[in-house]
Amino acid sequence: MQRGRLPMDLVLCWGAQIADALAAAHAKGIIHRDLKPGNLMVTKTGIKVLDFGLANSAKASTRRRATPTPRTASRTILGTPAYMAPEQQEGKECDPRTDIYALGLVLYEMATGRRMAQDQATPFEGLPAILLQTVRPVLPEIRTSAGNRQPTSESH
Amino acid sequence: MGEVFKARDTRLGREVAIKAVHQEFSGRFQREARAISALNHPTYAPCMISARTIW
């Protein structure tokens, strides 16, 4: 994917395999929560979806909701900002749609060779809302100290 | 978080991946092993052994 856009037949073939993989996980009540190109491996037999480190089962999260957790723990945001769905960015409960959102971004990237975040108008649009609240007040400071230079590197 | 090694299971003659994580991520690692074990699908690398070693 780093080498640019993929031919449409590969996008469809691999996309369908990833969708299949997600469907199998969702059927078991497992949400991956960190689907991104870096967690996909192309093998002789097709795509492998890796790194279930952030995966949680729907059952486990229901249990967790029953016991009150400290505010900080419940607001911990895990994932990769560029591929996170809005509810995940806001630290809210994730469900299968969270993975489908990430799949959409992966498909976009496979088809265009560009990351969705790169195509967004402002460099900070892709930032999670909570991070944005933290970052926004200091933005003018950063811009002033940088001498009104445009940001040159990606922020995430 | 940890490291992944490509290895060869000499007894069964097949290639395997060994994932080792630092102790602070052991909970997350355990969840991952459990999630993969619940799945049986060609798009996932199956979890063969999950072990805990501290060194």
Side-chain angles (χ1 to χ4, degrees):
Chain A
M1 228 172 280
Q2 285 158 357
R3 274 174 266 138
R5 57 192 288 182
L6 296 170
M8 197 43 79
D9 55 337
L10 269 187
V11 175
L12 294 174
C13 176
W14 289 349
Q17 287 179 23
I18 303 162
D20 242 16
L22 291 180
H26 294 163
K28 298 269 181 183
I30 295 164
I31 302 156
H32 190 287
R33 297 206 298 166
D34 196 20
L35 186 75
K36 56 179 173 179
N39 283 342
L40 299 169
M41 190 169 79
V42 181
T43 69
K44 276 176 241 157
T45 52
I47 290 275
K48 294 265 185 225
V49 179
L50 308 173
D51 202 349
F52 271 72
L54 298 184
N56 67 342
S57 75
K59 279 178 226 151
S61 63
T62 318
R63 261 205 313 275
R64 216 173 299 138
R65 230 183 308 155
T67 33
T69 43
R71 200 178 153 80
T72 46
S74 64
R75 294 196 59 161
T76 305
I77 304 168
L78 293 170
T80 308
Y83 301 94
M84 287 200 301
E87 68 276 12
Q88 196 177 9
Q89 293 181 4
E90 288 162 19
K92 291 183 191 158
E93 193 87 7
C94 298
D95 66 21
R97 290 172 293 179
T98 312
D99 284 344
I100 295 168
Y101 184 96
L103 172 62
L105 296 178
V106 170
L107 287 174
Y108 177 92
E109 194 164 329
M110 288 199 290
T112 63
R114 287 191 309 269
R115 189 186 275 189
M116 188 69 158
Q118 288 171 354
D119 287 351
Q120 286 176 339
T122 63
F124 297 103
E125 212 175 315
L127 275 184
I130 288 177
L131 292 186
L132 203 55
Q133 283 167 21
T134 322
V135 167
R136 202 170 268 146
V138 295
L139 278 184
E141 266 173 58
I142 297 171
R143 285 198 179 129
T144 319
S145 63
N148 286 329
R149 263 181 296 146
Q150 290 295 310
T152 48
S153 65
E154 236 186 300
S155 52
H156 47 257
Chain B
M1 185 177 150
E3 277 176 288
V4 178
F5 303 92
K6 185 179 179 179
R8 186 157 187 83
D9 180 338
T10 52
R11 221 179 295 174
L12 297 177
R14 61 180 178 182
E15 266 183 5
V16 295
I18 298 176
K19 184 170 181 173
V21 300
H22 296 291
Q23 204 185 342
E24 56 183 300
F25 296 110
S26 65
R28 185 174 153 174
F29 192 40
Q30 182 100 36
R31 273 199 302 281
E32 175 175 26
R34 214 172 280 165
I36 296 171
S37 299
L39 299 167
N40 181 18
H41 196 268
T43 47
Y44 301 113
C47 176
M48 301 298 182
I49 304 165
S50 169
R52 191 192 156 122
T53 312
I54 297 166
W55 71 89

